[in-house]
Amino acid sequence: MAASATVKPASTVQVKKSSNAISLLAPIICVIAGYIIWRFVLGNPAGFSKPGEGWFWPSHDGPKNALNKMYLGGIIVPLLLGTFLTMITFVIERFLTIQKAGGSGNNADFIRKVQYHLANKNVDAALAECDKQKGSVGNVMKAGLHRYKDMISNTELNTEQKVLAIQKEVEEATSLELPMLEKNLVFLSTIASVATLLGLLGTVLGMIRSFSALGEGEGGGDAASKLSVGISEALYNTALGIGTSAFAIIFYNIFTTKIDGITYGIDESGFTLTQSFASLYK
């Protein structure tokens, strides 16, 4: 009766506070930066033989190089540039976060060291290994080890209840680590789809402008030349959209693979703790 009435000690897992500022501000800032690049770098009047007038979208003509031709791709180009910059931002942010979550050293070696210390009933040494690891696997293992240490001296619960308490602690720690690892990956997966669609939209709009200009002209070789130039400029949208989408897909797959490896290490660490306790403290 005493065991069933015992209240489980407070969890040692600490809730991690993470800011969503980068998630909210990065896309807006990147789109603004994309417009600035399109308007003042790609659309630099010095890069055109016939500079246009206006502030928001000057009608320049006669581009002198490929970058200036990209400007003529239209207003979708700054959105694509903003999408590309957003992708780069979240790639860097996820790389730094996942690199830190991976910790130092190899997870398999870390778990073997903890198993060795637990087999020798040296929990403090196992905790010291977690401090050295400094990653998500180490954080989960450390939370479980604190509960593991508490259960050794607990005389009110039976072995099965103690194992369940350790397992619950590991699950709570895992539930706090995984969202941090997966955060912002949705931006990369979204960009992978949206960038291609934006590129195609820019191309279609450019083609409409090109054929409209052809219809207004008198035909002949000059009109055909303008049409080919217009189509070439419109296809810059497709190239930029597909390129951005390809990079987003590649990095998304790289990060999910790394996260899967960390998740496997977390699962293995929980299994190690419960099996060790069940075998040593029957």
Side-chain angles (χ1 to χ4, degrees), residues 120-138:
N120 291 300
K121 298 187 177 181
N122 192 345
V123 181
D124 291 332
L127 286 168
E129 291 294 339
C130 296
D131 291 332
K132 294 178 184 177
Q133 205 273 340
K134 298 179 182 178
S136 291
V137 177

Side-chain angles (χ1 to χ4, degrees), residues 144-201:
L145 283 170
H146 280 299
R147 179 64 63 216
Y148 187 105
K149 192 173 183 178
D150 291 341
M151 292 300 102
I152 292 175
S153 58
N154 188 299
T155 57
E156 298 179 343
L157 302 178
N158 59 39
T159 300
E160 183 179 351
Q161 290 172 321
K162 291 178 180 179
V163 170
L164 289 175
I166 295 170
Q167 184 177 356
K168 183 173 179 58
E169 188 75 10
V170 170
E171 290 173 353
E172 290 177 0
T174 302
S175 68
L176 295 178
E177 289 291 333
L178 291 184
M180 182 270 294
L181 293 174
E182 297 171 351
K183 181 183 176 183
N184 294 333
L185 280 182
V186 65
F187 283 94
L188 291 181
S189 62
T190 301
I191 287 171
S193 301
V194 171
T196 302
L197 296 177
L198 280 175
L200 292 174
L201 175 61

Side-chain angles (χ1 to χ4, degrees), residues 8-261:
K8 180 179 174 289
S11 173
T12 61
V13 179
Q14 299 296 318
V15 177
K16 295 187 176 183
K17 296 181 180 180
S18 58
S19 173
N20 288 322
I22 186 173
S23 303
L24 299 174
L25 296 178
I28 298 173
I29 294 173
C30 287
V31 169
I32 294 173
Y35 171 79
I36 292 172
I37 293 171
W38 173 76
R39 171 65 180 82
F40 297 103
V41 179
L42 304 182
N44 187 345
F48 298 86
S49 59
K50 298 178 182 178
E53 295 182 355
W55 185 87
F56 181 74
W57 187 358
S59 300
H60 301 317
D61 198 9
K64 296 179 180 179
N65 56 53
L67 289 178
N68 299 131
K69 286 183 180 180
M70 191 181 295
Y71 171 83
L72 299 181
I75 198 62
I76 298 296
V77 173
L79 293 177
L80 286 168
L81 290 173
T83 302
F84 178 78
L85 293 174
T86 302
M87 183 268 296
I88 293 296
T89 299
F90 285 114
V91 163
I92 294 173
E93 185 269 340
R94 284 295 86 197
F95 175 79
L96 295 176
T97 300
I98 294 174
Q99 189 76 8
K100 181 179 178 182
S104 59
N106 183 275
N107 286 335
D109 292 338
F110 162 70
I111 292 173
R112 278 195 292 271
K113 290 177 182 178
V114 171
Q115 287 174 331
Y116 172 79
H117 292 308
L118 292 180
N120 291 300
K121 298 187 177 181
N122 192 345
V123 181
D124 291 332
L127 286 168
E129 291 294 339
C130 296
D131 291 332
K132 294 178 184 177
Q133 205 273 340
K134 298 179 182 178
S136 291
V137 177
N139 292 339
V140 172
M141 182 73 85
K142 186 175 182 178
L145 283 170
H146 280 299
R147 179 64 63 216
Y148 187 105
K149 192 173 183 178
D150 291 341
M151 292 300 102
I152 292 175
S153 58
N154 188 299
T155 57
E156 298 179 343
L157 302 178
N158 59 39
T159 300
E160 183 179 351
Q161 290 172 321
K162 291 178 180 179
V163 170
L164 289 175
I166 295 170
Q167 184 177 356
K168 183 173 179 58
E169 188 75 10
V170 170
E171 290 173 353
E172 290 177 0
T174 302
S175 68
L176 295 178
E177 289 291 333
L178 291 184
M180 182 270 294
L181 293 174
E182 297 171 351
K183 181 183 176 183
N184 294 333
L185 280 182
V186 65
F187 283 94
L188 291 181
S189 62
T190 301
I191 287 171
S193 301
V194 171
T196 302
L197 296 177
L198 280 175
L200 292 174
L201 175 61
T203 301
V204 170
L205 294 177
M207 296 284 279
I208 291 172
R209 289 199 306 271
S210 298
F211 282 105
S212 295
L214 179 62
E216 294 171 0
E218 296 180 358
D222 184 58
S225 175
K226 288 184 178 180
L227 177 61
S228 64
V229 170
I231 293 174
S232 173
E233 293 163 354
L235 289 176
Y236 277 106
N237 289 279
T238 304
L240 187 56
I242 291 176
T244 300
S245 178
F247 278 111
I249 292 172
I250 290 170
F251 282 108
Y252 178 85
N253 289 333
I254 289 173
F255 292 145
T256 52
T257 299
K258 288 183 176 292
I259 290 172
D260 287 343

